[in-house]
Structures are given as C-alpha cells and as structure tokens.
Amino acid sequence: MKSGLSASKYIRNNKRTCFVLILALALTFTAMYLVNYLLKVTEESFKTPLLELPKRITYAELTIETMGVNPEDYPDGGLGEAIRDARAATVERIKNSEGVRDAYYTQVLNANYYAVLGSIGYEFPLVEPEKIPEFLDHMGAKLIEGSLPSGDGEILVDSTILKNNGLTVGGWFMEQHYGKTFKVAGVIESDVMACIGTPNGHYNNGWYIVILTDEAHSDFRTIAEPLGLHVTALDNIEDRPQNEEYYQKENVEVLDRVNRVILLVVMIFLAISVLVAYISFMRNRVGEYCLYASIGFSKREIYGMIMREMGIIFGVGILLGAIFSVIGMAVMDATLVHPQGLHSAWWYPEQVASSLTAYIVIIGLLQIPILITVHNIKTVDLMED
C-alpha cells in the first residue's frame, strides 16, 4: 500500500529554494508591520497633547461680538476701552463658572512636538511667576530639574518636550524662532506634557483666554452656554472636542490611509513575485507530480500535498516575520523612539489581520496556476505517448 505524500520531504530536500521563498514572505510581513508601527508611533505620541492635555486646559480667542461689543456703538471712539472692559468681564465670568479653577487673558507660546511623520505645536501660557504653582498643581506636574521661573522669559518644559527638542536646562527655548528670548529654567514631569513660562515683552504666538478646567467642562460650550456666550465659527476655540476632531481627522485617518496605500503596493509586488516564483516552482516539478500519479496517487492527493507544502512555507514565513518584527521594534524603540521622547505600542491586531488577509488573497490567487498544473498532470505512460 502506498504511503501518504509528505509535504515536508520536498522542503527538507530543497532547503535553499524554500528558504528564499520563506525569507521573502517573512521580510514582507516584517516590512508591513514595521511601517505600521512607525506610523502608529506618530499616532500614539500625539495622543497625550491632543487628547489628554485638553481635558485640563482650554484656550479661547473670542471675537468682540461674542463678548458683547458692537463696533457701531462707538462712532466717536472708546472702542478699545470697551473691548478691554468686556474681555475682563468675560474672563471674570468664566473664572466663576462651574468646573473652572482659574482663567486669565495672557500670551501663549507653542511647544513643538516632532514625531516620526509630522509634528504638532500646542499652546502653553505665559503667566506671572506667582501663578505657576497653581498651574503645576492643576496639571499634576512636578519639578524634576532646575528651578521655578522667577524672572522674565523663563520656561518650564515637560521632560518629553525637552528630550524631543534636544533642549537642556539653561538653554534657549525654540531659539530658531525667538532667538535668545526664552530660557529653559527647569524641567517638569506630568501625564499631560504640560509646559508653562513667564512672558518676555511681546514675543508670543498670540493672546488667549486660558481656562483651567476639569474634564467634565473641557468642552468650552459647557462653560459658554450658561454664560450666554454665543460662540461662532469666527471664534478660535481650542478645547477637548476640537482637539479630538483634529486628532481623528488629521492623525488617525490620514495615517490609516497612508498605511493602506503602502500595504496595497507591497502586496501587489509580493503577489506578482510569489505567483512567478510558484509557477516556476511547480513547472520544475511536473515530472515529480506525474510520477506520483503513475504510482497511484490521485490528483486530489497531489493537490493536498502542494497545499500542505504551501501552508508550511507561508506559516514559517509569517512566524519568522513576527519574530523579525519584534526584533525590529525593539531596536527602533531603543535607537529612535524613546530617545526622541516618543511613545509606541507593539501589538496591533488589525495590522496582523490585514497582513494575514493579504496572504490569504495571495494563496487564493495561487489556486489558478496550482489547479491548472494539477489538471494537466499525466501518468508516465501518457507522457511517453
């Protein structure tokens, strides 16, 4: 009685040919996963400043109309004083609102945060030194190096921003933008990457009403509506909902589209390469398949052997790809991600599912040449005829 066809025997006897195919599958899986990983580093890193920080602080740049000032009411002058009075009254009303710890109209600077792909800038206030302890307490921040600001133009930088921008205590903050205007006085650490500083003249990124809120009131509408402030599209509001929308549209959705395009391109090239390799693979084994048919194996059994061989090759390739991916992520974490103050995660089940789906599609495409080859198998005597 004939024994079953071995799927592993050919692989053991043709290690070089099979290893090349396994390595190609493994490196493709690794490349797709590491590209996704690098894209997700940007997504993971931006979560804190765009999703967590706005739960504690809101910035509002309101139009004079929103604050109740109509320029037509001041044809003979006095508009500037009216605006200042209205703004002061608005800030005071906001300060006394539920969920608000403090509010003030002040200058702001940007903290720039650079990821693998792209960067973001988020505001932080410039206040008088006596307001800084309250701000740090509200942000859950603690001083870990240097000293609290006591003079003009002194900045407390979050430890992540310090690392990300290559700053040092005593160095100049964003010297490329402001020159030698703002000095890093100290380093703070918090869960929300908060920064704070003191003003130095009128070097700034604008003036805002800065509102220290609790999470329940981090949507500015929950503060404005009870006060009768009718916010319009002309008002510049940077609160939790606005940042969440920006994070989703400009970060998550954009990076997902990039990842899908890369995945598609890689899989097209892989599919073509594997199809060509497998067609050549089977063409060189036609005699072997015919011999199996001659000694009594059915075409179904030969097809089963081919599929088992393919399963081993693809399975080992995916397993090696997963191992290479872990090694690659560990290396990049140690050399690129953590030294730049970025954040990462290693496990992305949706990417694994996408890669496996792509491999299944390739296996499906391979059924065409496989079935054609199996259908054309002849016994030795028919080959001689």
Side-chain angles (χ1 to χ4, degrees):
M1 178 182 293
K2 65 183 186 298
S3 60
L5 290 172
S6 172
S8 60
K9 185 178 295 183
Y10 178 84
I11 296 174
R12 289 197 303 269
N13 294 334
N14 295 270
K15 295 183 179 67
R16 179 175 297 178
T17 301
C18 295
F19 176 75
V20 170
L21 192 53
I22 288 172
L23 186 62
L25 293 169
L27 292 177
T28 302
F29 182 95
T30 303
M32 290 188 296
Y33 200 86
L34 291 183
V35 166
N36 175 76
Y37 160 82
L38 288 174
L39 293 174
K40 293 295 185 180
V41 165
T42 298
E43 188 175 311
E44 291 290 330
S45 298
F46 287 172
K47 278 182 179 178
T48 299
L50 291 178
L51 300 184
E52 298 303 320
L53 182 60
K55 293 178 181 178
R56 304 190 192 184
I57 189 167
T58 294
Y59 296 88
E61 186 180 15
L62 304 178
T63 63
I64 60 175
E65 289 80 8
T66 298
M67 293 186 293
V69 177
N70 185 354
E72 295 180 358
D73 293 338
Y74 302 91
D76 300 322
L79 178 60
E81 184 177 353
I83 293 173
R84 287 190 294 272
D85 291 343
R87 183 182 295 120
T90 300
V91 170
E92 193 63 27
R93 292 168 65 200
I94 291 174
K95 185 186 299 186
N96 294 323
S97 298
E98 181 181 359
V100 175
R101 180 167 182 172
D102 201 358
Y104 31 81
Y105 182 68
T106 188
Q107 303 175 67
V108 301
L109 285 186
N110 275 353
N112 286 343
Y113 188 36
Y114 303 92
V116 176
L117 290 177
S119 64
I120 59 170
Y122 63 92
E123 291 82 3
F124 65 88
L126 299 175
V127 300
E128 297 306 314
E130 58 269 19
K131 285 190 173 291
I132 291 177
E134 178 190 48
F135 179 89
L136 297 181
D137 181 66
H138 179 73
M139 294 296 176
K142 61 180 180 179
L143 183 71
I144 61 173
E145 185 181 352
S147 60
L148 294 177
S150 58
D152 294 340
E154 295 185 350
I155 307 294
L156 290 179
V157 181
D158 176 79
S159 57
T160 299
I161 295 295
L162 186 91
K163 186 186 300 184
N164 185 258
N165 285 261
L167 299 172
T168 57
V169 174
W172 299 105
F173 180 78
M174 293 183 65
E175 185 177 0
Q176 68 275 26
H177 295 290
Y178 305 113
K180 296 182 178 181
T181 304
F182 297 100
K183 181 174 288 188
V184 179
V187 184
I188 54 177
E189 194 169 68
S190 71
D191 294 332
V192 294
M193 291 171 57
C195 297
I196 185 74
T198 57
N200 190 2
H202 293 283
Y203 291 90
N204 58 58
N205 289 100
W207 291 73
Y208 287 81
I209 299 175
V210 179
I211 310 165
L212 305 185
T213 70
D214 58 23
E215 184 175 347
H217 295 82
S218 54
D219 181 343
F220 184 67
R221 291 173 299 179
T222 62
I223 298 171
E225 289 175 1
L227 299 178
L229 295 174
H230 302 294
V231 178
T232 70
L234 298 177
D235 296 301
N236 182 16
I237 308 299
E238 298 189 18
D239 59 359
R240 177 180 51 79
Q242 189 267 352
N243 279 276
E244 287 175 349
E245 181 180 4
Y246 178 84
Y247 176 80
Q248 184 64 32
K249 289 184 177 180
E250 302 299 328
N251 189 21
V252 176
E253 294 179 7
V254 169
L255 293 177
D256 283 347
R257 286 197 296 270
V258 171
N259 192 41
R260 285 196 296 269
V261 169
I262 293 173
L263 177 64
L264 178 62
V265 171
V266 170
M267 293 317 301
I268 288 174
F269 280 101
L270 179 64
I272 294 172
S273 301
V274 172
L275 279 170
V276 171
Y278 248 93
I279 289 172
S280 175
F281 196 56
M282 290 182 294
R283 187 172 292 167
N284 294 333
R285 299 178 64 189
V286 170
E288 176 190 344
Y289 297 150
C290 292
L291 178 61
Y292 291 148
S294 300
I295 60 178
F297 287 102
S298 68
K299 291 182 178 181
R300 181 184 296 272
E301 289 173 309
I302 296 172
Y303 172 80
M305 179 197 70
I306 295 173
M307 291 305 298
R308 290 194 298 275
E309 290 176 355
M310 184 182 296
I312 292 173
I313 289 172
F314 271 76
V316 174
I318 292 170
L319 179 60
L320 279 179
I323 294 172
F324 293 163
S325 297
V326 171
I327 295 173
M329 289 185 292
V331 171
M332 284 191 283
D333 264 4
T335 60
L336 173 66
V337 176
H338 292 163
Q340 293 298 316
L342 301 175
H343 305 287
S344 67
W346 286 17
W347 173 236
Y348 297 105
E350 69 282 358
Q351 179 63 27
V352 174
S354 296
S355 298
L356 293 180
T357 300
Y359 281 128
I360 291 171
V361 170
I362 291 175
I363 291 174
L365 292 174
L366 286 171
Q367 297 306 300
I368 298 173
I370 290 173
L371 291 174
I372 292 173
T373 300
V374 171
H375 177 73
N376 292 330
I377 290 175
K378 298 178 181 181
T379 58
V380 173
D381 56 325
L382 290 176
M383 291 176 63
E384 292 174 348
D385 292 340

